[in-house]
Amino acid sequence: MNAIIIDDDPVAVESLRQKLAKYPGITIAATASNGIEGLETIIHHKPELLFLDIMLPDTTGIKLLDTLNEMPEIPSYVVIYTAHNDYILPAFRNHACDCLLKPIDDNELAIVMSRFEEYMALGLERFPTRRAKTPSDKLIFYTNTEDFRIVPIQDICTFKYSPEHRCWLSIATSSYKPMPLKRTVSKDAILSINDCFVQVSKRHIININYLMEVKDGICRFYPPFDKIEEVKVGRMFRRKLLDRCCNL
């Protein structure tokens, strides 16, 4: 499996290269010393594993990671590695898969590589979900780069894809103003959150627990979502919706 290292410190790059040589399934496809070169290298090689330093001459690893989030076709398992542990939380907020602190400890690297091997063996998506979420679990909606709102799954009624914003929007009891998801969030990722979510058209996913009836092809919901009247059931999705219900 191909790996790429993006770091402007040649000593750190060589040290990591030597440590990764102990893992026979890993090939260092390339290295890069700045963000522009790094992005070009990632696009060219499409590595399964990416080690990304935080401090780069022309950008930060966090900003580069944010760019990668707009490119879900890149399959990289991203490991942020840094001498500054203050950056670990922002890295995870931007969907890093793992983190390492410099100087890299062999035991910590072994743990990261073990998680990476598990990720590959299970055929997980780039942003792996470790377990199925229950209705009592909560989702995080980012209102800007740093701020976010926490919403219980059971409070969410609909997801609607917005071509204007190029992302999915959610409506929940805690906010009647649609809340945007990251552009990298796909319909499959939403449907995998919990079995209560069902796709009823190309642009709509609903929480079936709030569905009261389908009248004239339009979904009618229980309060407090009874004012929502825009959700149509597409012909291609009608059968799947009916299969989720008990027909009397």
Side-chain angles (χ1 to χ4, degrees):
M1 289 173 284
N2 285 343
I4 284 177
I5 303 172
I6 301 178
D7 191 340
D8 63 330
D9 182 351
V11 175
V13 170
E14 184 58 29
S15 174
L16 180 55
R17 185 197 294 272
Q18 292 179 8
K19 291 179 183 295
L20 291 174
K22 300 176 183 178
Y23 298 87
I26 300 298
T27 299
I28 306 299
T31 64
S33 59
N34 59 63
I36 294 176
E37 180 186 353
L39 185 58
E40 293 175 349
T41 303
I42 292 168
I43 293 172
H44 177 72
H45 290 281
K46 293 183 171 58
E48 286 83 12
L49 180 60
L50 170 64
F51 288 89
L52 179 59
D53 188 24
I54 287 291
M55 305 306 294
L56 298 170
D58 56 347
T59 186
T60 68
I62 299 298
K63 290 181 179 179
L64 183 56
L65 184 54
D66 196 47
T67 300
L68 292 178
N69 288 339
E70 302 290 337
M71 305 164 62
E73 71 277 7
I74 303 297
S76 301
Y77 184 96
V78 182
V79 180
I80 288 288
Y81 79 119
T82 175
H84 308 283
N85 58 13
D86 292 344
Y87 291 103
I88 290 179
L89 181 56
F92 278 119
R93 283 178 175 173
N94 281 273
H95 297 294
C97 300
D98 222 322
C99 284
L100 278 171
L101 285 177
K102 294 181 178 180
I104 295 176
D105 179 82
D106 289 341
N107 292 330
E108 292 298 319
L109 178 60
I111 292 172
V112 168
M113 296 305 292
S114 176
R115 285 196 285 252
F116 168 68
E117 290 170 3
E118 177 189 0
Y119 163 94
M120 295 300 295
L122 295 177
L124 297 174
E125 295 181 1
R126 181 179 162 201
F127 308 136
T129 302
R130 294 300 180 187
R131 64 179 180 85
K133 294 180 172 61
T134 66
S136 60
D137 282 336
K138 297 175 175 61
L139 299 182
I140 295 178
F141 293 85
Y142 288 90
T143 53
N144 56 43
T145 305
E146 297 293 335
D147 300 331
F148 57 89
R149 179 180 290 117
I150 299 177
V151 180
I153 291 174
Q154 62 192 4
D155 289 353
I156 298 172
C157 180
T158 66
F159 293 92
K160 176 184 178 181
Y161 185 78
S162 169
E164 178 184 357
H165 298 90
R166 293 190 297 154
C167 68
W168 288 86
L169 308 176
S170 174
I171 293 181
T173 55
S174 59
S175 175
Y176 292 102
K177 181 179 179 180
M179 296 177 290
L181 281 70
K182 283 182 173 290
R183 290 181 178 177
T184 52
V185 177
S186 66
K187 67 176 180 62
D188 291 333
I190 295 172
L191 293 171
S192 69
I193 293 171
N194 188 269
D195 288 342
C196 66
F197 295 122
V198 182
Q199 188 169 10
V200 296
S201 71
K202 290 184 178 180
R203 293 187 180 180
H204 287 98
I205 294 172
I206 68 169
N207 184 340
I208 197 170
N209 295 328
Y210 282 111
L211 181 63
M212 181 172 62
E213 65 176 354
V214 176
K215 185 175 182 180
D216 298 326
I218 304 294
C219 292
R220 308 290 181 182
F221 300 100
Y222 288 107
F225 300 107
D226 49 314
K227 301 300 183 183
I228 298 177
E229 299 179 344
E230 64 184 44
V231 181
K232 296 182 179 180
V233 178
R235 287 185 298 175
M236 295 173 55
F237 300 89
R238 182 180 178 86
R239 172 49 56 188
K240 289 185 178 180
L241 178 60
L242 291 174
D243 288 344
R244 293 292 301 275
C245 307
C246 295
N247 295 319
L248 298 178

